[in-house]
Amino acid sequence: MSAEVLASPAASGSAPLGKVRALQHTLYRAAKADPGRRFHALMDKVLRRDVLGLAWAAVGANNGAPGIDKLTLADVEEYGVSRFLDEIQAELREGRYRPLPAREVLIPKPGQPGALRPLAIASVKDRVAQAAVKIVLESVFEADFLPCSFGFRPKRAAHDALQVVIDEAWRGRRWVVETDIADCFTAIPHDQLMREVEKRVVDQSVLKLLRLILGAGVMAEGSVRKAVTGTPQGGNVSPLMCNVYLHQVDAAWDVREHGVLVRYADDLLVMCRSRQQAEDALARLRVLLAELGLEPKEAKTRIVELQVGGGGFDFLGFHHRLVRSKGHQKGRGTVFLARWPSDKARQHARDRIKELTLRCRQLLPIEYIVEDLNRFLAGWAAYFRYGHSTVRFDKIRDYALRRLVIQIAGRHKGDRRRGSRLVYRLSPNQYGLMSLHGIVAAPRANEPWRRGKPNTVGERRR
């Protein structure tokens, strides 16, 4: 892959992308040309103003919440972005930088009512510093990462991983090992992680900065909790550190012996040719993860045989199942791996639609409600349209229409009949609620999932 794609697309035109891309390209080529090279001088790259400017642009585009210091992005803009970056640069250069503990918040797990997961929200200054480190280090480690890894990497999307699943099922790998790593982001041992980083980086200033970031801890319920394991989920540098650590699994994996590994951060699939190979693959995964101080999440670990009329599995928000198309003659249809939004993904969509149409929002103009619904539906459909999702799309839009009827009926003394008549009969375009009809693009084996663009899956390891 080209190192030029490593620069964040979130950056605005004010950031000198060209120079940062040139830097990343140089680092990537140097690392790729010499797999044993260890980089001694990286801190000066982190301190560059164009790198810090790009880091600020990435943080600003994410529009995150404030950390424990309650400093917002708007506060920084009022204070002066240039002055703010100057201060970060000075603290990093003089060794005075000390990250604040991240603010821990619990957010709902999509599609799992009542379930929560922790999210660590660093301060704006710490997010900029982490983003700058990520811009530089990502270029080095991308040279080592293998094609079986897809999560949180430049120019590699979830749909690239999903395409590998379709291709391998078409090639006859119909036994699937499905699992994910238990508490991955909180269980990675700091000392072992730093040993992996040190295989490529020996700049002591950068290593010290990474240790400070990892050891900053999180604040929950007024107390700071520091641990010797974990990269706080939500930190800018955490996904990169996760990939650096789990690269050991990718590098040790033998495709011929155990099947094709597909890893998206801490979610893993192995596509195998037989049940015996699948069982061996799962045993091998347990051994490799145990060596890293990790383990599979038992509740989500299973072996599935793909067969027409049989069960399927969930991966990256989709449910996958082997089906037979309707042929002209009975039993003559084509067998293929179909996918559509999983039950959890659809429940998440319904929960969000319900949230956008709650009774407490009846004081807002109906145009605002529809605009919010359309914004969510557009984003949700943009991801799930690459599948066999037509029936599920129709159900989700019907649910959105029903919620819109309830919202409008509440403005007319709860008269559902009147709400239905206004939405279905009197409004020529159903108040502008977007249609999800005709946008599905069914994936095909060995073809680009993006029409006209090649898949970025790389070569399979033999």
Side-chain angles (χ1 to χ4, degrees):
M1 61 166 285
S2 169
E4 293 184 4
V5 303
L6 293 172
S8 169
S12 64
S14 61
L17 282 175
K19 292 183 178 180
V20 176
R21 284 177 173 170
L23 167 65
Q24 292 178 311
H25 186 66
T26 299
L27 291 172
Y28 176 84
R29 290 187 62 183
K32 197 71 174 176
D34 184 0
R37 177 171 178 175
R38 303 172 78 192
F39 289 80
H40 294 77
L42 292 176
M43 193 62 181
D44 60 315
K45 282 77 173 175
V46 175
L47 294 174
R48 283 173 42 162
R49 273 306 296 268
D50 52 358
V51 171
L52 289 171
L54 182 59
W56 163 255
V59 170
N62 194 44
N63 196 27
I68 63 171
D69 60 355
K70 300 182 180 180
L71 185 72
T72 66
L73 296 172
D75 293 335
V76 173
E77 291 173 352
E78 183 179 349
Y79 180 76
V81 174
S82 180
R83 180 182 173 189
F84 181 70
L85 296 181
D86 284 342
E87 292 175 357
I88 295 176
Q89 185 184 51
E91 288 186 21
L92 290 170
R93 178 182 290 115
E94 298 166 12
R96 296 184 290 108
Y97 173 76
R98 295 294 183 272
L100 295 172
R103 178 169 63 91
E104 185 178 72
V105 296
L106 299 177
I107 61 174
K109 287 188 176 182
Q112 301 181 48
L116 301 172
R117 67 179 179 91
L119 183 68
I121 302 177
S123 69
V124 175
K125 180 172 72 173
D126 295 337
R127 296 206 296 268
V128 172
Q130 288 188 37
V133 172
K134 177 178 178 289
I135 288 170
V136 174
L137 293 188
E138 188 174 55
S139 310
V140 174
F141 290 107
E142 269 295 318
D144 297 332
F145 291 160
L146 297 174
C148 62
S149 168
F150 295 88
F152 306 105
R153 294 183 58 191
K155 293 292 285 183
R156 297 175 78 82
H159 286 287
D160 292 315
L162 293 168
Q163 186 64 42
V164 173
V165 175
I166 287 180
D167 294 345
E168 295 304 328
W170 179 83
R171 294 184 180 111
R173 299 182 189 273
R174 303 283 176 85
W175 287 86
V176 181
V177 179
E178 174 192 6
T179 188
D180 67 9
I181 301 171
D183 303 319
C184 178
F185 281 89
T186 58
I188 295 176
H190 291 173
D191 55 346
Q192 295 184 44
L193 170 60
M194 291 306 299
R195 281 199 289 270
E196 291 304 306
V197 173
E198 289 167 4
K199 290 180 179 179
R200 275 298 200 175
V201 179
V202 290
D203 186 322
Q204 292 303 311
S205 298
V206 172
L207 294 175
K208 178 183 176 181
L209 178 57
L210 278 175
R211 290 190 181 97
L212 288 172
I213 292 171
L214 293 174
V218 295
M219 177 174 284
E221 298 180 351
S223 61
V224 177
R225 183 178 69 252
K226 295 188 177 184
V228 296
T229 62
T231 59
Q233 194 163 359
N236 295 63
V237 79
S238 294
L240 174 61
M241 292 296 99
C242 177
N243 277 331
V244 168
Y245 195 63
L246 294 181
H247 173 70
Q248 298 172 88
V249 175
D250 305 339
W253 194 257
D254 188 320
V255 171
R256 285 185 178 275
E257 185 176 357
H258 296 117
V260 174
L261 175 68
V262 183
R263 182 175 67 80
Y264 193 94
D266 57 346
D267 288 341
L268 299 95
L269 280 185
V270 186
M271 307 292 292
C272 304
R273 293 192 180 276
S274 66
R275 183 177 188 88
Q276 184 61 53
Q277 188 182 45
E279 291 175 349
D280 292 344
L282 179 55
R284 178 60 174 161
L285 269 179
R286 292 185 187 279
V287 170
L288 291 175
L289 292 176
E291 291 174 354
L292 303 182
L294 305 172
E295 61 182 1
K297 186 178 293 183
E298 294 301 331
K300 294 187 176 181
T301 300
R302 61 185 185 134
I303 294 175
V304 179
E305 181 186 10
L306 296 176
Q307 54 184 342
V308 176
F313 62 93
D314 291 350
F315 185 56
L316 299 181
F318 284 92
H319 180 73
H320 304 254
R321 186 172 295 190
L322 203 68
V323 300
R324 185 188 300 275
S325 65
K326 294 180 180 179
H328 295 294
Q329 300 179 16
K330 187 175 181 180
R332 297 292 296 274
T334 301
V335 174
F336 63 98
L337 187 65
R339 69 172 184 245
W340 51 80
S342 66
D343 290 344
K344 287 183 180 179
R346 284 182 283 156
Q347 184 60 51
H348 168 63
R350 287 191 290 267
D351 291 344
R352 181 58 178 157
I353 290 169
K354 185 175 182 179
E355 182 181 337
L356 293 173
T357 53
L358 287 174
R359 183 176 180 180
C360 62
R361 306 192 82 209
Q362 289 178 0
L363 294 178
L364 295 174
I366 194 63
E367 292 80 9
Y368 288 7
I369 304 295
V370 173
E371 182 181 347
D372 288 344
L373 285 172
N374 285 344
R375 188 180 298 112
F376 169 74
L377 289 173
W380 191 82
Y383 180 78
F384 288 106
R385 65 182 291 261
Y386 295 102
H388 307 83
S389 308
T390 301
V391 173
R392 281 77 187 177
F393 275 20
D394 290 343
K395 290 182 178 179
I396 289 297
R397 189 179 185 277
D398 287 346
Y399 180 75
L401 273 177
R402 293 199 302 272
R403 290 299 306 179
L404 192 59
V405 167
I406 293 172
Q407 175 70 210
I408 292 175
R411 300 164 189 242
H412 298 279
K413 299 181 180 180
D415 188 344
R416 293 281 184 95
R417 289 186 179 180
R418 185 172 182 180
S420 297
R421 187 159 56 90
L422 288 170
V423 172
Y424 290 103
R425 296 178 59 184
L426 298 183
S427 176
N429 63 351
Q430 296 175 331
Y431 284 88
L433 187 69
M434 70 174 293
S435 172
L436 301 182
H437 180 71
I439 65 172
V440 169
R444 298 176 181 271
N446 303 313
E447 291 186 13
W449 64 269
R450 291 168 293 196
R451 299 295 182 256
K453 294 184 179 180
N455 298 327
T456 56
V457 297
E459 298 179 354
R460 291 194 301 140
R461 297 180 68 222
R462 300 293 180 182

